[in-house]
Amino acid sequence: MKRIGFLGCGKIGQALLKHIKELDGVDVAFVQDPVYTKAAGDTFPVVTKGDKDLYATADLIIECANASVLKEWGVTMLQATDVLTFSVTAFSDPSFWDTMVQCKQTSGHHLYIPHGAILGLDGIFDGRAMWTAIKIVTTKSPKSLGRTDTERTVLYDGPTRKACELFPRNVNVHASVALAGIGFDRTESVIIVDPAVETNAHHIYLDSDSTHMELIISSVAKGAVSGAYTPQSACGSLDRVLQHTRDVLFV
Ligand SMILES: NC(=O)c1ccc[n+]([C@@H]2O[C@H](COP(=O)([O-])OP(=O)(O)OC[C@H]3O[C@@H](n4cnc5c(N)ncnc54)[C@H](O)[C@@H]3O)[C@@H](O)[C@H]2O)c1
């Protein structure tokens, strides 16, 4: 029996909880979330604070809260068990990233970064030695950025590290691409607010001396931080971590 803990259990977490109920040999160890209310049949503990003993009851903890919560509990979790984390902008803080890498090495536990809202992080990682430039242009509605702009405006154009500091809830895609590719300082982030759009769109440009690739991801998020695809992809990532590989395994 594999036991999964949750740090944060909103849109992504609840999709994963539902998915786990359909899997054989997988159970929920705990949910840590100040607002989660138990549903009928929930037998696991729901807590507002964690500690190493609680975390050690899980084979894997899935963080789907936010970057500051990940920074608060990340080291304690990784000392205790494997961690899969969605709030990737937290890793733009170099001291937090270094501490987590060191903790991963001393504990022997794994740190998993899911592909989340986009496709192809594994392929970006495979090409990391060859990329000469990576740029991500994100266009969102004022509502999804918590703003009231009345005209299209470029809010930011510069290194991904600073974009993560300015928009921690909105640029997890940028952070994941930076980590998989050429890092937070060499990846360029452009953030555009546009009242004419109802979608959240990411346009990713990857360049090397010999290759050019583009990925376009566009989704209706209705003002929420996560679109409809991310909870689906989260379930696939969990399956791959657990090696519940269905019929065909895409690697
Ligand atoms: N990597 C990606 O591609 C990607 C894509 C979408 C979302 N995300 C990120 O994933 C995270 C979760 O997204 P979501 O849509 O499920 O968000 P959500 O707002 O629906 O859920 C977040 C949950 O975290 C809980 N929370 C808040 N403070 C907490 C604390 N101190 N301790 C424990 N739990 C706490 C909230 O109560 C809520 O239930 C966010 O950081 C989001 O930005 C990443």
Side-chain angles (χ1 to χ4, degrees), residues 7-13 32-36 48 63-67 69 72-73 85-88 114-118 168-170 172-173 176 225-227 230:
L7 176 61
C9 197
K11 187 170 182 177
I12 296 173
Q32 180 180 339
D33 189 316
V35 303
Y36 181 80
T48 53
E63 177 283 322
C64 39
N66 61 53
V69 173
E72 185 177 354
W73 298 103
T85 177
F86 282 87
S87 303
V88 191
H115 65 98
I118 62 160
R169 279 180 73 75
N170 290 283
N172 283 297
V173 161
S176 305
V225 70
S226 303
T230 306

Short mmCIF file of all heavy atoms in Angstrom, two decimals, residues 7-13 32-36 48 63-67 69 72-73 85-88 114-118 168-170 172-173 176 225-227 230, ligand 1:
data_model
loop_
_atom_site.label_atom_id
_atom_site.label_comp_id
_atom_site.label_asym_id
_atom_site.label_seq_id
_atom_site.Cartn_x
_atom_site.Cartn_y
_atom_site.Cartn_z
N LEU A 7 -0.15 18.56 1.01
CA LEU A 7 0.03 19.89 1.59
C LEU A 7 -0.74 20.84 0.67
O LEU A 7 -0.27 21.17 -0.42
CB LEU A 7 1.52 20.26 1.63
CG LEU A 7 1.83 21.68 2.13
CD1 LEU A 7 1.34 21.89 3.57
CD2 LEU A 7 3.33 21.97 2.06
N GLY A 8 -1.93 21.25 1.11
CA GLY A 8 -2.83 22.03 0.25
C GLY A 8 -3.73 21.07 -0.50
O GLY A 8 -3.25 20.08 -1.09
N CYS A 9 -5.03 21.36 -0.47
CA CYS A 9 -5.96 20.45 -1.16
C CYS A 9 -7.14 21.25 -1.72
O CYS A 9 -8.25 21.16 -1.23
CB CYS A 9 -6.42 19.35 -0.20
SG CYS A 9 -7.14 17.98 -1.08
N GLY A 10 -6.85 22.06 -2.76
CA GLY A 10 -7.88 22.84 -3.44
C GLY A 10 -8.21 22.16 -4.76
O GLY A 10 -8.47 20.96 -4.82
N LYS A 11 -8.14 22.94 -5.85
CA LYS A 11 -8.56 22.40 -7.16
C LYS A 11 -7.72 21.19 -7.59
O LYS A 11 -8.27 20.15 -7.94
CB LYS A 11 -8.47 23.52 -8.20
CG LYS A 11 -9.04 23.14 -9.55
CD LYS A 11 -9.14 24.33 -10.47
CE LYS A 11 -9.75 23.92 -11.80
NZ LYS A 11 -9.94 25.04 -12.71
N ILE A 12 -6.40 21.33 -7.55
CA ILE A 12 -5.53 20.22 -7.98
C ILE A 12 -5.60 19.07 -6.98
O ILE A 12 -5.77 17.90 -7.35
CB ILE A 12 -4.08 20.71 -8.16
CG1 ILE A 12 -3.99 21.74 -9.30
CG2 ILE A 12 -3.14 19.54 -8.42
CD1 ILE A 12 -2.64 22.40 -9.44
N GLY A 13 -5.51 19.40 -5.68
CA GLY A 13 -5.49 18.37 -4.64
C GLY A 13 -6.76 17.53 -4.66
O GLY A 13 -6.70 16.29 -4.54
N GLN A 32 -3.10 18.27 4.81
CA GLN A 32 -2.76 19.47 5.60
C GLN A 32 -3.29 20.68 4.85
O GLN A 32 -2.75 21.06 3.81
CB GLN A 32 -1.24 19.55 5.78
CG GLN A 32 -0.81 20.76 6.60
CD GLN A 32 0.69 20.83 6.77
OE1 GLN A 32 1.41 19.83 6.65
NE2 GLN A 32 1.19 22.03 7.06
N ASP A 33 -4.37 21.26 5.34
CA ASP A 33 -5.00 22.40 4.66
C ASP A 33 -5.94 23.07 5.67
O ASP A 33 -6.80 22.39 6.24
CB ASP A 33 -5.79 21.91 3.43
CG ASP A 33 -6.30 23.06 2.56
OD1 ASP A 33 -6.80 24.05 3.12
OD2 ASP A 33 -6.19 22.96 1.32
N PRO A 34 -5.81 24.38 5.87
CA PRO A 34 -6.63 25.03 6.91
C PRO A 34 -8.11 25.10 6.56
O PRO A 34 -8.92 25.33 7.46
CB PRO A 34 -6.03 26.44 7.01
CG PRO A 34 -5.30 26.67 5.74
CD PRO A 34 -4.84 25.32 5.27
N VAL A 35 -8.48 24.92 5.29
CA VAL A 35 -9.91 25.05 4.96
C VAL A 35 -10.54 23.75 4.44
O VAL A 35 -11.72 23.74 4.14
CB VAL A 35 -10.18 26.20 3.94
CG1 VAL A 35 -9.65 27.53 4.44
CG2 VAL A 35 -9.63 25.87 2.57
N TYR A 36 -9.75 22.67 4.33
CA TYR A 36 -10.33 21.43 3.78
C TYR A 36 -11.37 20.86 4.75
O TYR A 36 -11.08 20.71 5.94
CB TYR A 36 -9.23 20.39 3.51
CG TYR A 36 -9.79 19.11 2.92
CD1 TYR A 36 -10.09 19.03 1.58
CD2 TYR A 36 -10.05 18.01 3.74
CE1 TYR A 36 -10.64 17.87 1.03
CE2 TYR A 36 -10.60 16.84 3.20
CZ TYR A 36 -10.88 16.79 1.85
OH TYR A 36 -11.43 15.64 1.31
N THR A 48 -3.81 21.26 10.28
CA THR A 48 -3.44 22.60 9.80
C THR A 48 -1.93 22.79 9.85
O THR A 48 -1.40 23.68 9.19
CB THR A 48 -4.13 23.69 10.64
OG1 THR A 48 -3.84 23.45 12.01
CG2 THR A 48 -5.63 23.69 10.43
N GLU A 63 2.59 18.62 -2.80
CA GLU A 63 2.32 20.03 -2.42
C GLU A 63 1.51 20.66 -3.53
O GLU A 63 1.95 20.74 -4.67
CB GLU A 63 3.66 20.77 -2.22
CG GLU A 63 3.54 22.25 -1.90
CD GLU A 63 3.19 23.12 -3.11
OE1 GLU A 63 3.70 22.84 -4.22
OE2 GLU A 63 2.41 24.06 -2.94
N CYS A 64 0.30 21.12 -3.20
CA CYS A 64 -0.48 21.93 -4.15
C CYS A 64 -1.19 23.02 -3.36
O CYS A 64 -2.42 23.09 -3.36
CB CYS A 64 -1.41 21.08 -5.01
SG CYS A 64 -2.24 19.72 -4.20
N ALA A 65 -0.39 23.84 -2.68
CA ALA A 65 -0.91 24.97 -1.87
C ALA A 65 -0.48 26.28 -2.53
O ALA A 65 -1.18 26.82 -3.38
CB ALA A 65 -0.40 24.86 -0.45
N ASN A 66 0.68 26.79 -2.15
CA ASN A 66 1.27 27.96 -2.83
C ASN A 66 2.75 28.04 -2.47
O ASN A 66 3.24 27.27 -1.61
CB ASN A 66 0.51 29.26 -2.49
CG ASN A 66 0.54 29.58 -1.02
OD1 ASN A 66 1.60 29.64 -0.42
ND2 ASN A 66 -0.64 29.78 -0.41
N ALA A 67 3.46 28.98 -3.10
CA ALA A 67 4.93 29.01 -2.97
C ALA A 67 5.37 29.28 -1.53
O ALA A 67 6.34 28.67 -1.04
CB ALA A 67 5.52 30.05 -3.92
N VAL A 69 3.83 28.52 1.25
CA VAL A 69 3.57 27.32 2.07
C VAL A 69 4.64 26.26 1.77
O VAL A 69 5.17 25.62 2.68
CB VAL A 69 2.15 26.79 1.79
CG1 VAL A 69 1.92 25.45 2.48
CG2 VAL A 69 1.10 27.80 2.24
N GLU A 72 7.72 27.11 3.57
CA GLU A 72 7.64 26.88 5.01
C GLU A 72 7.86 25.40 5.37
O GLU A 72 8.54 25.08 6.34
CB GLU A 72 6.25 27.35 5.52
CG GLU A 72 6.12 27.25 7.03
CD GLU A 72 4.77 27.77 7.53
OE1 GLU A 72 3.97 28.32 6.72
OE2 GLU A 72 4.53 27.63 8.75
N TRP A 73 7.29 24.48 4.57
CA TRP A 73 7.28 23.06 4.96
C TRP A 73 8.17 22.17 4.10
O TRP A 73 8.33 20.97 4.40
CB TRP A 73 5.83 22.54 4.89
CG TRP A 73 4.92 23.24 5.83
CD1 TRP A 73 4.01 24.20 5.53
CD2 TRP A 73 4.85 23.06 7.25
NE1 TRP A 73 3.37 24.64 6.66
CE2 TRP A 73 3.86 23.95 7.73
CE3 TRP A 73 5.52 22.24 8.17
CZ2 TRP A 73 3.54 24.05 9.08
CZ3 TRP A 73 5.19 22.33 9.51
CH2 TRP A 73 4.21 23.23 9.95
N THR A 85 5.88 18.59 -6.22
CA THR A 85 5.46 19.95 -5.90
C THR A 85 4.99 20.76 -7.12
O THR A 85 5.62 20.72 -8.17
CB THR A 85 6.60 20.69 -5.17
OG1 THR A 85 6.19 22.01 -4.94
CG2 THR A 85 7.90 20.69 -5.94
N PHE A 86 3.85 21.45 -6.94
CA PHE A 86 3.26 22.25 -8.02
C PHE A 86 3.64 23.73 -7.95
O PHE A 86 3.59 24.41 -8.97
CB PHE A 86 1.72 22.11 -8.01
CG PHE A 86 1.28 20.81 -8.61
CD1 PHE A 86 1.18 19.67 -7.83
CD2 PHE A 86 1.01 20.71 -9.96
CE1 PHE A 86 0.82 18.45 -8.39
CE2 PHE A 86 0.65 19.50 -10.53
CZ PHE A 86 0.54 18.37 -9.74
N SER A 87 3.99 24.24 -6.76
CA SER A 87 4.24 25.68 -6.62
C SER A 87 5.71 25.98 -6.90
O SER A 87 6.48 26.38 -6.02
CB SER A 87 3.80 26.15 -5.23
OG SER A 87 2.43 25.82 -5.03
N VAL A 88 6.07 25.79 -8.16
CA VAL A 88 7.48 25.74 -8.56
C VAL A 88 8.16 27.11 -8.47
O VAL A 88 9.39 27.20 -8.38
CB VAL A 88 7.59 25.15 -10.00
CG1 VAL A 88 9.01 24.83 -10.37
CG2 VAL A 88 6.73 23.91 -10.13
N PRO A 114 6.19 18.15 -11.63
CA PRO A 114 5.26 17.69 -12.67
C PRO A 114 5.22 18.65 -13.85
O PRO A 114 5.58 19.82 -13.70
CB PRO A 114 3.91 17.70 -11.93
CG PRO A 114 4.06 18.80 -10.93
CD PRO A 114 5.52 18.81 -10.51
N HIS A 115 4.74 18.16 -15.00
CA HIS A 115 4.67 19.09 -16.14
C HIS A 115 3.52 20.06 -16.00
O HIS A 115 3.50 21.10 -16.65
CB HIS A 115 4.67 18.34 -17.48
CG HIS A 115 3.50 17.48 -17.75
ND1 HIS A 115 2.44 17.90 -18.52
CD2 HIS A 115 3.20 16.22 -17.37
CE1 HIS A 115 1.55 16.91 -18.59
NE2 HIS A 115 1.98 15.89 -17.91
N GLY A 116 2.57 19.79 -15.11
CA GLY A 116 1.57 20.79 -14.73
C GLY A 116 0.74 21.28 -15.90
O GLY A 116 0.13 20.50 -16.63
N ALA A 117 0.77 22.60 -16.12
CA ALA A 117 -0.11 23.22 -17.12
C ALA A 117 0.40 23.07 -18.55
O ALA A 117 -0.32 23.40 -19.49
CB ALA A 117 -0.28 24.69 -16.79
N ILE A 118 1.63 22.59 -18.74
CA ILE A 118 2.18 22.53 -20.11
C ILE A 118 2.61 21.10 -20.47
O ILE A 118 2.53 20.20 -19.65
CB ILE A 118 3.37 23.49 -20.30
CG1 ILE A 118 4.53 23.11 -19.38
CG2 ILE A 118 2.93 24.92 -20.08
CD1 ILE A 118 5.85 23.66 -19.82
N PRO A 168 4.04 35.22 -8.16
CA PRO A 168 4.32 33.84 -7.72
C PRO A 168 3.21 32.84 -8.03
O PRO A 168 3.48 31.66 -8.21
CB PRO A 168 4.53 33.98 -6.20
CG PRO A 168 3.93 35.29 -5.82
CD PRO A 168 4.04 36.18 -7.04
N ARG A 169 1.96 33.28 -8.10
CA ARG A 169 0.85 32.33 -8.34
C ARG A 169 0.59 32.11 -9.82
O ARG A 169 -0.17 31.22 -10.18
CB ARG A 169 -0.44 32.83 -7.67
CG ARG A 169 -0.49 32.52 -6.18
CD ARG A 169 -1.76 33.02 -5.55
NE ARG A 169 -2.95 32.26 -5.89
CZ ARG A 169 -3.24 31.06 -5.41
NH1 ARG A 169 -2.42 30.46 -4.57
NH2 ARG A 169 -4.35 30.45 -5.76
N ASN A 170 1.20 32.94 -10.68
CA ASN A 170 0.81 32.93 -12.09
C ASN A 170 1.89 32.44 -13.06
O ASN A 170 1.59 32.28 -14.24
CB ASN A 170 0.37 34.34 -12.51
CG ASN A 170 -0.95 34.70 -11.85
OD1 ASN A 170 -2.00 34.26 -12.28
ND2 ASN A 170 -0.89 35.48 -10.79
N ASN A 172 4.09 29.61 -12.61
CA ASN A 172 4.69 28.30 -12.31
C ASN A 172 5.21 27.63 -13.58
O ASN A 172 6.22 26.92 -13.55
CB ASN A 172 3.66 27.40 -11.62
CG ASN A 172 3.50 27.79 -10.17
OD1 ASN A 172 4.45 27.69 -9.39
ND2 ASN A 172 2.33 28.27 -9.79
N VAL A 173 4.54 27.89 -14.72
CA VAL A 173 5.01 27.34 -15.99
C VAL A 173 6.42 27.88 -16.32
O VAL A 173 7.31 27.14 -16.73
CB VAL A 173 4.02 27.71 -17.12
CG1 VAL A 173 4.64 27.59 -18.48
CG2 VAL A 173 2.77 26.83 -17.01
N SER A 176 8.95 26.17 -14.05
CA SER A 176 9.22 24.77 -14.42
C SER A 176 10.12 24.71 -15.66
O SER A 176 11.06 23.91 -15.72
CB SER A 176 7.92 24.03 -14.74
OG SER A 176 7.02 24.13 -13.69
N VAL A 225 -6.67 30.02 -10.56
CA VAL A 225 -5.23 29.97 -10.83
C VAL A 225 -4.89 28.78 -11.74
O VAL A 225 -3.95 28.83 -12.52
CB VAL A 225 -4.43 29.97 -9.49
CG1 VAL A 225 -4.60 28.65 -8.74
CG2 VAL A 225 -2.97 30.28 -9.71
N SER A 226 -5.68 27.69 -11.67
CA SER A 226 -5.38 26.51 -12.50
C SER A 226 -6.48 26.27 -13.52
O SER A 226 -7.67 26.33 -13.18
CB SER A 226 -5.28 25.26 -11.61
OG SER A 226 -4.31 25.45 -10.64
N GLY A 227 -6.10 25.97 -14.76
CA GLY A 227 -7.07 25.64 -15.79
C GLY A 227 -7.51 24.18 -15.66
O GLY A 227 -7.10 23.47 -14.74
N THR A 230 -4.58 21.12 -15.88
CA THR A 230 -3.58 20.82 -14.83
C THR A 230 -4.04 19.70 -13.89
O THR A 230 -3.24 18.79 -13.62
CB THR A 230 -3.20 22.10 -14.05
OG1 THR A 230 -2.79 23.07 -14.98
CG2 THR A 230 -2.08 21.83 -13.07
N1 LIG B 1 3.15 23.81 -12.06
C1 LIG B 1 2.10 24.20 -12.78
O1 LIG B 1 2.08 24.13 -14.01
C2 LIG B 1 0.89 24.74 -12.07
C3 LIG B 1 -0.32 24.88 -12.75
C4 LIG B 1 -1.42 25.34 -12.04
C5 LIG B 1 -1.30 25.67 -10.69
N2 LIG B 1 -0.10 25.57 -10.08
C6 LIG B 1 0.08 25.92 -8.67
O2 LIG B 1 -0.40 24.83 -7.87
C7 LIG B 1 -0.81 25.34 -6.60
C8 LIG B 1 -2.22 24.82 -6.29
O3 LIG B 1 -3.13 25.24 -7.30
P1 LIG B 1 -4.72 25.04 -7.10
O4 LIG B 1 -5.37 25.50 -8.35
O5 LIG B 1 -5.02 23.69 -6.57
O6 LIG B 1 -4.97 26.16 -5.98
P2 LIG B 1 -6.22 26.31 -5.01
O7 LIG B 1 -6.23 27.75 -4.60
O8 LIG B 1 -7.44 25.71 -5.59
O9 LIG B 1 -5.79 25.41 -3.72
C9 LIG B 1 -4.77 25.79 -2.83
C10 LIG B 1 -5.06 25.13 -1.49
O10 LIG B 1 -3.97 25.44 -0.60
C11 LIG B 1 -4.52 25.63 0.69
N3 LIG B 1 -3.63 26.37 1.58
C12 LIG B 1 -3.51 27.72 1.71
N4 LIG B 1 -2.67 28.01 2.74
C13 LIG B 1 -2.26 26.82 3.24
C14 LIG B 1 -1.38 26.45 4.31
N5 LIG B 1 -0.76 27.39 5.07
N6 LIG B 1 -1.18 25.14 4.55
C15 LIG B 1 -1.81 24.19 3.80
N7 LIG B 1 -2.66 24.47 2.79
C16 LIG B 1 -2.87 25.77 2.52
C17 LIG B 1 -5.82 26.39 0.41
O11 LIG B 1 -6.70 26.31 1.54
C18 LIG B 1 -6.34 25.67 -0.82
O12 LIG B 1 -7.21 24.60 -0.47
C19 LIG B 1 -0.71 26.87 -6.70
O13 LIG B 1 0.53 27.30 -6.16
C20 LIG B 1 -0.73 27.11 -8.20
O14 LIG B 1 -0.13 28.34 -8.56
C21 LIG B 1 0.98 25.09 -10.73
#
